[in-house]
Amino acid sequence: MQIKAFTRRLALGILCVAIPAGAAMAQGWEARPEVIKGRSSDVIRGVVFNDANGDGRHQTSEAGIAGVLVSNGLEVVRTDARGVYEIAVRSDMDLFVIQPSGWQVPVDARNVPQFSYVHKPDGSPKPFRFGGLPATGAAPERVNFPLRKTAATDAFTCAMVGDSQTYSNHEASQYRDSAVADMVGMGLKPDTDCMVYLGDVVGDDLGLLDRVFELGATVGVPQWAVSGNHDVDFDAPSDEHSLDTWRRIWGPAYYAFEMGNVTFIALDNVVSPCNAQDAQKAGREACLRDTRQGYNGRITDTQMQWLANLLKETPKHRLIVFAHHIPLVSYIGAAGGKGAQTDNATALYALVEGREALDLSGHTHTLENHDAGQHFKGWQEAAGVGPLPFRHIVAGAASGRWWQGDFNLDGDAHAITSSGEPKGVLMIDFDGADYKERFVGSRLGTRGQWVDFNTPAFRTWYQALDSWRTEDKKTRDPVPPVSINDLDDTRLFTPEALKNGVWITVNFWHGSASAQVVGTINGGAPFSLTRTQQGAGEARLEGAEYVDPFAIKRQATVGRYAIQSRSGIERNQGWEAGRGTALSGVPQPLAGWADRSMHIWRAPLPTDLSEGVHVLKITSTDRNGQAWTDTVVFEVRAEDLPARHRREMWK
């Protein structure tokens, strides 16, 4: 290494600066790392410096910053007393600085952090549909990383955006009108707060990435991101090249950054296309074949080595927050199978054993808040995972169920997910190594739960509809056996219905096993509701008794399937999903609906309720003491009342 000689060359212009933060800056600033071409070698050298004038270029008057971590995607080194680093060149690498607490890296016009340099001498191995990576040529002589001081605080908020997954410009517009509009109104601070996309930023069309980030930039905070299985180059011949376009448009495939007392570690756990190494796991046999769009959840060996090196440089008192796309394990994927969990999750656990940690993911379009110690049947078989060592949160989806369903009042699809919560964004308030999570349903204000009733009539209706959904589409009656019009008042009960079982059902969106849900009827004695899934090793519970009636009723009949016009535009008849899949015909249930959920609480209504009108009050309190209250009015009548207009009165 030539670090001493390089240090002497820079000595006249580099001063020692300690890492503690100083005065806050008003806004992020636009700049990028300074890349200095020159005589190439097997190492890259540079300086991490305080960019006093904000131009991204290192002047001799601008002090170097000591103790900052720099990585080549495998090794992790720390700058010396003068802010200087030296690191080996790898044949295909992202060179990046790890933003230290109290400092910020610059951003571009999209508020995307600029903290890396991509080195891929020959570029992508062939022309890719969305451009891939151009050849970068020989490694530069130096890469200098600019930083600026920011507010010195351990308290900050991050918006965790799961699966915005826009397949089209129309869906990007819906993202603008829902999650982005909500986040803009939250008052996030550019010098202390952040956004983190948890993968599937777009839906296969990488040409939409820039627009999505431009929309997100209006929130006003740095937009960090990890990639998902729909953010890859599908025409890449192997996983080594599958994120070439992503790396050109956004940045590194994996990296880390610090804020307050938190070290965020962004991982790429999507192997696409999957390969023989993935096929070693049961259920991954297809990875031995050319699956083209096949993928698997696994953290590559190189990343695991990098992570081990990073953790050696990370003090034990810091909270470790993992951010990646495919969950390590998930309730919705508890039955196992390719893509539902991360094969080497237990190896990750071993690396952070004894540390405070939090795991964040997306992918399943469900909201799952797993306490430490929880586990479900199928985890051990699929990923070797038993009781969880720390909290895992699958963050829901900004797109909900892929922008499907009818439009709500704001003109975007309601898109209720398969676990019954709305589309939205997970917000996390950090304070030191502590944090509080909350889920903000898109355009739903402070609401945090649905409250409804599971009645005998609902269960009969649901079973008829669910049975029809499982029939062969080619041979079944094209018209469903029942619709929402066939389900009468579900908040009016007869004594017979009460005798046969009416359950109060609460879908507490981000509630974990340690949450409490309490109800009162007519102001009487409080009673507790029971979580249907305890996470004590049991299998997923499915069927009419365990679904969320509130969500199901809103998913039961989608009118967009049947909307027709005389416009002459064929693709506007019915609607499209995914890559332009045509969905048309009669109004019918959503293609997939809320038939399983780990955040349902329920309790039976008393069978001796008197006739008349009653008031149910539900208060749900999460593990952090944050509470949400809803009030529902219902009736008990001696017999069912006719639901339709009494035509006979007007003959």
Side-chain angles (χ1 to χ4, degrees), residues 401-408 412-416 461 465 468-469 478 480 482-485 551-564 574-577 583-594:
R401 188 166 184 85
W402 297 275
W403 305 108
Q404 296 177 11
D406 287 326
F407 293 126
N408 60 26
D412 54 300
H414 61 64
I416 292 174
W461 171 88
L465 202 54
W468 175 85
R469 290 178 65 250
V482 293
S483 75
I484 194 64
N485 292 335
I552 290 290
K553 287 188 292 186
R554 282 146 186 83
Q555 296 175 322
T557 305
V558 179
R560 288 173 72 191
Y561 286 106
I563 294 175
Q564 303 286 315
W575 60 296
E576 293 183 345
L583 300 171
S584 61
V586 300
Q588 57 189 274
L590 201 63
W593 62 357

Side-chain angles (χ1 to χ4, degrees), residues 12-330:
L12 291 176
I14 301 177
L15 304 175
C16 176
V17 176
I19 280 187
M25 63 183 186
Q27 295 284 339
W29 88 104
E30 291 185 32
R32 63 183 60 221
E34 182 182 20
V35 178
I36 301 174
K37 297 289 185 179
R39 187 178 61 186
S40 180
S41 68
D42 58 354
V43 297
I44 292 180
R45 303 176 178 89
V47 59
V48 179
F49 66 99
N50 184 1
D51 191 11
N53 64 5
D55 67 355
R57 297 182 178 182
H58 179 239
Q59 279 82 41
T60 56
S61 60
E62 291 175 323
I65 307 171
V68 179
L69 298 176
V70 178
S71 179
N72 61 6
L74 179 61
E75 299 171 288
V76 178
V77 301
R78 196 176 287 277
T79 58
D80 68 7
R82 300 178 182 274
V84 174
Y85 75 90
E86 177 178 292
I87 200 164
V89 174
R90 298 174 58 232
S91 60
D92 183 354
M93 69 174 188
D94 293 312
L95 175 70
F96 54 88
V97 65
I98 295 173
Q99 173 182 285
S101 294
W103 298 82
Q104 262 189 348
V105 298
V107 296
D108 64 10
R110 306 166 300 165
N111 263 342
V112 169
Q114 301 298 294
F115 64 108
S116 65
Y117 171 77
V118 59
H119 172 66
K120 191 161 188 165
D122 298 325
S124 298
K126 64 176 185 176
F128 285 173
R129 180 184 294 111
F130 294 105
L133 263 174
T136 61
E141 180 181 353
R142 284 186 281 167
V143 177
N144 298 328
F145 292 107
L147 298 175
R148 292 184 74 181
K149 292 180 181 178
T150 186
T153 178
D154 282 346
F156 61 94
T157 298
C158 281
M160 303 297 171
V161 184
D163 295 74
S164 42
Q165 202 160 344
T166 57
Y167 283 93
S168 65
N169 276 303
H170 174 68
E171 291 176 354
S173 297
Q174 292 193 67
Y175 174 59
R176 174 197 65 204
D177 296 342
S178 54
V180 172
D182 281 336
M183 289 187 286
V184 167
M186 291 179 188
L188 296 176
K189 301 178 181 63
D191 55 345
T192 58
D193 298 333
C194 74
M195 291 169 63
V196 179
Y197 290 82
L198 295 170
D200 283 0
V201 178
V202 297
D204 302 340
D205 187 347
L206 304 185
L208 294 170
L209 277 171
D210 274 329
R211 185 183 176 208
V212 169
F213 289 130
E214 286 170 8
L215 292 170
T218 59
V219 179
V221 298
Q223 296 188 94
W224 302 91
V226 297
S227 59
N229 57 292
H230 289 279
D231 299 318
V232 302
D233 286 297
F234 286 105
D235 43 356
S238 65
D239 183 59
E240 289 75 14
H241 307 289
S242 66
L243 289 180
D244 282 3
T245 298
W246 173 271
R247 291 165 68 190
R248 174 174 55 82
I249 294 176
W250 189 86
Y254 56 93
Y255 57 93
F257 65 97
E258 297 178 357
M259 295 179 67
N261 196 40
V262 181
T263 295
F264 291 89
I265 300 176
L267 297 171
D268 166 27
N269 68 338
V270 179
V271 179
S272 175
C274 53
N275 54 44
Q277 184 174 348
D278 301 283
Q280 295 174 13
K281 278 277 189 176
R284 320 291 194 278
E285 293 80 7
C287 292
L288 287 172
R289 302 189 294 272
D290 178 13
T291 57
R292 297 189 179 182
Q293 296 177 22
Y295 64 90
N296 188 43
R298 176 169 58 84
I299 305 168
T300 61
D301 295 342
T302 299
Q303 282 185 82
M304 292 298 288
Q305 294 172 37
W306 166 77
L307 178 57
N309 292 335
L310 173 64
L311 291 172
K312 289 177 184 177
E313 298 291 339
T314 303
K316 289 287 185 72
H317 65 82
R318 298 187 65 82
L319 172 67
I320 303 298
V321 176
F322 293 113
H324 47 86
H325 183 59
I326 296 176
L328 299 181
V329 286
S330 71

